[in-house]
Amino acid sequence: MESDLETTELQDGLSLITLGTESRAEGEPRFPMELFLEILRHLSNGFVTNYGGLLAVRWFLGVTEAGLSPGVNYYLSCWYKREEFGLRAAVFFSAATVSGAFGGLISAGIGSGMQHVGGQPAWAWIFILEGLVTIVIGVLSFWMVVDFLTPKERDMVVRRLQEDEQFSAAGEGFQWKSIIDSLRDWRTWFTPSIVSALVPIYVWACILTIGVGFMADRYKTRIKFNMIFLTLGAAGYIILIASRNAALSYFAIYLAASGIFPLIPNTVTLIANNVEGSYKRSVSLAMVISWGNINGAVSSNIYHANQKPWYPLGHGIVLVYIVIGMVSNIVYYYFTSRENAARDRGERDEAIGGEPLLKGELRDGKGQGGWYATIEDAKTAKGDNWSGYRYIL
């Protein structure tokens, strides 16, 4: 592709950057427009003839795929309890590791047998054929993702979620306050520093990712697993930087993968677990995942061909990201556990019922969290800031 489009290594790296974010909590799916853009984007990949066309197609990639990952994770969070969500997010993300494992083999097969077929180079056919498969799946999904529950089944789902402190499960009207609350929540801005530590490698990560999702759900803890596997990842990258032995470096790749892939869905689950309110959660997920995607601007440009096969610069930068991720997890754990402890001590309690309190007034030692007519009003208005809500660590 580089020779056909007459691009440089830097231009190829820049064309791989995909930025975008989309938040959509409720309403009818915008299927016709998004499917049309997806078709246009996939097929156009196979027909670009210059660098400008390549950048234009990559822009469409950002537009059409920006909402996929946050949208799917938000959708899953609307069905499962907090201790059930991690495994589902891990299974969804593991599809990326599987595609990474087999994508190269498929591309090699297409590349060896379809060069100049129909006047197109082999790399163009990779985009065209994979695009056609995506289109078929996209059309089928319009009928597969539907509201198929009976009223009784829907009530059961809502009841399960509300028992898990997801008070908005029955539905909530749109309020700009939900968006503002997400933007004001320090976790929305801080969690991406955990996600940004996670830059890709492949295969045994698929099983490990699902295993970590299952265990984190079972033990209802996320950050401890993050710290364990970030430590393994750091060890892997240190070996990759220092080693000039092929066998040792190959082993280190497995350690590095252990510190990357499982943590992405686990951290996405962490933010989904700790944000209550469907609109607030949709915005928080979109922002966290999009900030993580921005690191594509780094990861696609730090592994230079002139440094192969050891890539000291690329591995060193990823190691720095992992250290940032470790520090971020520690800080997140400290402040969030401190908030849970304050709520356990009653320092955030609301005053419920009776006459409204004046500013700064307490009633029976309660009221630091404000006054509300009923507990349900407090839950609905405050979401994860309600004194009875406990963050998962």
Side-chain angles (χ1 to χ4, degrees), residues 12-337:
D12 288 340
L14 291 174
S15 71
L16 292 176
I17 300 173
T18 305
L19 307 179
T21 177
E22 176 177 308
S23 172
R24 183 169 179 80
E26 295 183 16
E28 294 299 319
R30 291 172 293 176
F31 173 76
M33 177 59 71
E34 291 188 354
L35 178 59
F36 171 76
L37 291 175
E38 189 71 6
I39 292 171
L40 179 64
R41 197 272 296 176
H42 274 298
L43 294 182
S44 295
N45 268 309
F47 296 98
V48 294
T49 58
N50 54 52
Y51 179 59
L54 183 63
L55 287 181
V57 169
R58 294 296 296 183
W59 182 83
F60 276 106
L61 171 64
V63 170
T64 57
E65 291 191 349
L68 176 63
S69 185
V72 169
N73 281 287
Y74 167 75
Y75 184 76
L76 290 172
S77 73
C78 294
W79 286 89
Y80 296 102
K81 297 170 71 173
R82 293 191 292 174
E83 66 267 24
E84 299 169 342
F85 177 53
L87 176 60
R88 276 75 183 181
V91 170
F92 167 66
F93 180 77
S94 67
T97 64
V98 172
S99 66
F102 294 100
L105 295 175
I106 295 172
S107 298
I110 296 173
S112 63
M114 301 197 68
Q115 180 70 7
H116 302 309
V117 173
Q120 296 293 327
W123 62 263
W125 279 109
I126 294 172
F127 288 118
I128 293 171
L129 294 178
E130 290 183 353
L132 290 174
V133 173
T134 302
I135 292 167
V136 171
I137 294 174
V139 172
L140 292 176
S141 69
F142 185 60
W143 288 275
M144 293 169 63
V145 183
V146 294
D147 185 5
F148 53 85
L149 297 182
T150 65
K152 183 177 180 180
E153 291 169 334
R154 183 180 183 278
D155 290 342
M156 181 188 70
V157 171
V158 170
R159 185 173 64 254
R160 289 181 72 251
L161 294 178
Q162 290 182 333
E163 289 171 353
D164 189 44
E165 299 183 351
Q166 298 187 47
F167 324 120
S168 61
E172 62 175 333
F174 174 78
Q175 302 178 67
W176 280 105
K177 178 181 179 295
S178 302
I179 311 299
I180 295 171
D181 284 347
S182 176
L183 297 178
R184 293 174 58 186
D185 191 336
W186 66 272
R187 295 172 188 81
T188 300
W189 298 98
F190 190 78
T191 311
S193 63
I194 301 176
V195 178
S196 65
L198 319 174
V199 186
I201 313 174
Y202 300 136
V203 171
W204 108 283
C206 178
I207 298 174
L208 189 62
T209 297
I210 295 175
V212 170
F214 174 79
M215 296 301 290
D217 278 352
R218 181 172 182 177
Y219 291 102
K220 299 180 182 179
T221 181
R222 310 283 174 202
I223 292 181
K224 292 177 182 177
F225 282 96
N226 277 359
M227 291 301 296
I228 291 170
F229 288 98
L230 279 171
T231 302
L232 290 177
Y237 277 102
I238 289 172
I239 294 173
L240 286 171
I241 293 170
S243 170
R244 292 299 179 265
N245 179 280
L248 181 60
S249 295
Y250 185 70
F251 168 73
I253 290 175
Y254 284 87
L255 289 179
S258 301
I260 302 299
F261 281 99
L263 275 67
I264 298 176
N266 195 50
T267 303
V268 169
T269 302
L270 177 68
I271 191 66
N273 282 172
N274 289 337
V275 176
E276 167 49 23
S278 60
Y279 284 100
K280 181 181 178 181
R281 185 165 62 250
S282 70
V283 173
S284 297
L285 283 171
M287 291 190 63
V288 168
I289 293 173
S290 64
W291 274 105
N293 288 342
I294 288 176
N295 286 277
V298 177
S299 61
S300 60
N301 288 285
I302 59 177
Y303 285 92
H304 299 153
N306 61 5
Q307 294 187 341
K308 64 181 180 183
W310 306 114
Y311 300 106
L313 175 64
H315 293 329
I317 292 176
V318 175
L319 180 60
V320 171
Y321 274 114
I322 288 178
V323 172
I324 293 172
M326 296 174 77
V327 173
S328 299
N329 273 276
I330 292 170
V331 173
Y332 187 101
Y333 185 91
Y334 172 76
F335 282 104
T336 306
S337 60

Side-chain angles (χ1 to χ4, degrees), residues 1-9 12 49-50 115 121 123:
M1 185 172 73
E2 186 172 315
S3 59
D4 288 335
L5 300 183
E6 299 180 351
T7 58
T8 65
E9 181 183 356
D12 288 340
T49 58
N50 54 52
Q115 180 70 7
W123 62 263

